[in-house]
């Protein structure tokens, strides 16, 4: 029925972090925008819950405000492998550990304040040129954005599913009530899995186990990491474990006609990079700009530029995951060269832009890798 037809400039399928950030960025440019998601907020998802410094900056630019106590700052990343710890501190900035539900609530509040019209409990069931269908309801729109996550249906409907084969791993997260023992995000490397520890509240840590097997859960993984198990003694698990797929997926194109992909729907990086949310927020910004200029080709180019380094970092981390000797040598080398780790991290998080890591740094790391016994 015609009375059921809604209309808007931009329709976004998916009200996760990418969809909401894109909605906010589009409203900042004055266009009308609707977002639909089948879930009810705040939406939870398995996540390491660590925001890198440039992700924190993006959140501020979107106008998302966090209350004191909502998040815990962390100073850098610590890799721990076979008893060797390498530490890279962020220079002049900090990351934030934040519960996924708290982050989602803050994004929803900001989106509503900015004038994004959110339809919760509503699934996008079909798209056509200039239209989105929500079961029997039709929405007319100029642009359609797919922010519907890893397994994006909209991506398939728009025939944008082509790309390199993905590397798939599995992640399970759980929260523990225990005072954080570190103000770093810790990545503990085991023989067939990793555990990432993020402080998320003054009395709470988030643990994620990642591996190539969907059967490896935190409980059994902890047997490989007695030092973490000891830290958790006396604390209690306050959430049940929640799983998700962590995939490196690179797509050939992220827009076609009036449809654009954003966030995990537009390709993803391995969760060990801690970059998924940051990518989504940075993509949201350039996508909104491209829409304002009526030119999605700008988005395609910017998306490629934004994703390049995190994709490279994913491949590097997956190589470390796969090759214990290389991992041992690299972490030993980084432990001996903490400044180099810092510079790598600065390049990775874009704190000072790509020139931070130079040829000399790579040469020094190479020499260390060759010199240190495996
Ligand atoms: C184990 C693990 C740990 C991670 N740790 C970190 C970390 O520490 N830091 C970090 O930055 N990133 C991390 N990530 C990555 C991060 O979680 C993702 O990059 C992020 O969730 C992407 O957000 P999104 O909005 O694109 O997708 P999602 O969060 O998946 O949201 C997609 C939304 O689309 C909705 N949807 C689906 N189908 C439809 C439909 N047909 N119509 C409408 N809506 C639909 C879903 O309900 C969902 O709400 C981690 C990922 C994993 C798996």
């Amino acid at each position: 029925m015609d009375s059921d037809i809604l209309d808007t400039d931009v329709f976004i399928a998916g009200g996760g972090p990418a969809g909401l950030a894109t909605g906010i960025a589009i409203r900042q440019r004055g266009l009308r925008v609707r977002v639909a998601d089948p879930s009810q907020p705040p939406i939870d998802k398995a996540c390491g819950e660590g925001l890198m410094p440039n992700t924190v900056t993006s959140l501020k630019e979107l106008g998302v405000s966090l209350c004191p106590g909502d998040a815990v700052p962390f100073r850098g990343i610590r890799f721990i492998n076979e008893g060797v710890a390498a530490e890279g501190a962020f220079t002049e900035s900090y990351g934030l550990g934040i519960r996924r539900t708290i982050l989602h609530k803050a994004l929803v509040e900001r989106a509503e304040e900015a004038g994004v019209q959110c339809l919760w409990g509503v699934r996008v069931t079909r798209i056509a040129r200039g239209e989105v269908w929500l079961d029997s309801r039709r929405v007319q729109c100029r642009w359609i954005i797919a922010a519907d996550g890893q397994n994006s249906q909209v991506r398939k409907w728009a025939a944008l599913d082509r790309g390199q084969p993905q590397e798939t791993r599995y992640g399970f997260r759980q929260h523990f009530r225990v005072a954080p023992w570190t103000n770093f995000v810790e990545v503990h490397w085991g023989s067939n899995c990793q555990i990432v520890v993020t402080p998320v509240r003054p009395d709470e840590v988030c643990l994620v186990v990642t591996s190539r097997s969907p059967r490896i859960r935190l409980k059994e993984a902890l047997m490989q990491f007695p030092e973490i198990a000891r830290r958790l003694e006396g604390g209690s698990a306050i959430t049940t474990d929640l799983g998700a797929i962590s995939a490196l997926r690179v797509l050939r194109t992220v827009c076609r006609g009036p449809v654009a992909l954003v966030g995990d729907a537009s390709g993803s990086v391995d969760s060990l990079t801690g970059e998924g949310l940051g990518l989504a927020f940075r993509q949201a910004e350039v996508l909104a700009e491209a829409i304002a200029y009526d030119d999605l080709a700008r988005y395609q180019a910017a998306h490629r530029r934004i994703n390049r380094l995190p994709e490279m970092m994913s491949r590097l981390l997956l190589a470390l995951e796969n090759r214990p000797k290389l991992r041992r040598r690299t972490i030993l080398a980084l432990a001996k060269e903490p400044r180099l780790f810092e510079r790598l991290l600065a390049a990775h998080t874009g704190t000072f832009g790509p020139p931070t890591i130079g040829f000399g740094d790579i040469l020094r790391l190479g020499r260390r890798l060759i010199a240190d016994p495996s």
Side-chain angles (χ1 to χ4, degrees), residues 13-14 16-18 36-39 43 45-50 100 123-124 147-149 171 208 244-245 263-264 271 274-277:
D37 197 296
S39 301
I43 302 175
K45 193 190 161 189
C47 185
E49 305 187 335
R100 185 74 183 211
R123 180 180 293 278
V124 172
D148 50 344
V208 169
I245 284 181
D264 279 4
S271 64
E275 271 290 1
L277 292 164

Side-chain angles (χ1 to χ4, degrees), residues 89-103:
F90 302 128
T91 36
E92 297 176 27
S93 55
Y94 60 90
L96 279 182
I98 181 169
R99 271 282 200 106
R100 185 74 183 211
T101 42
I102 294 179
L103 175 65

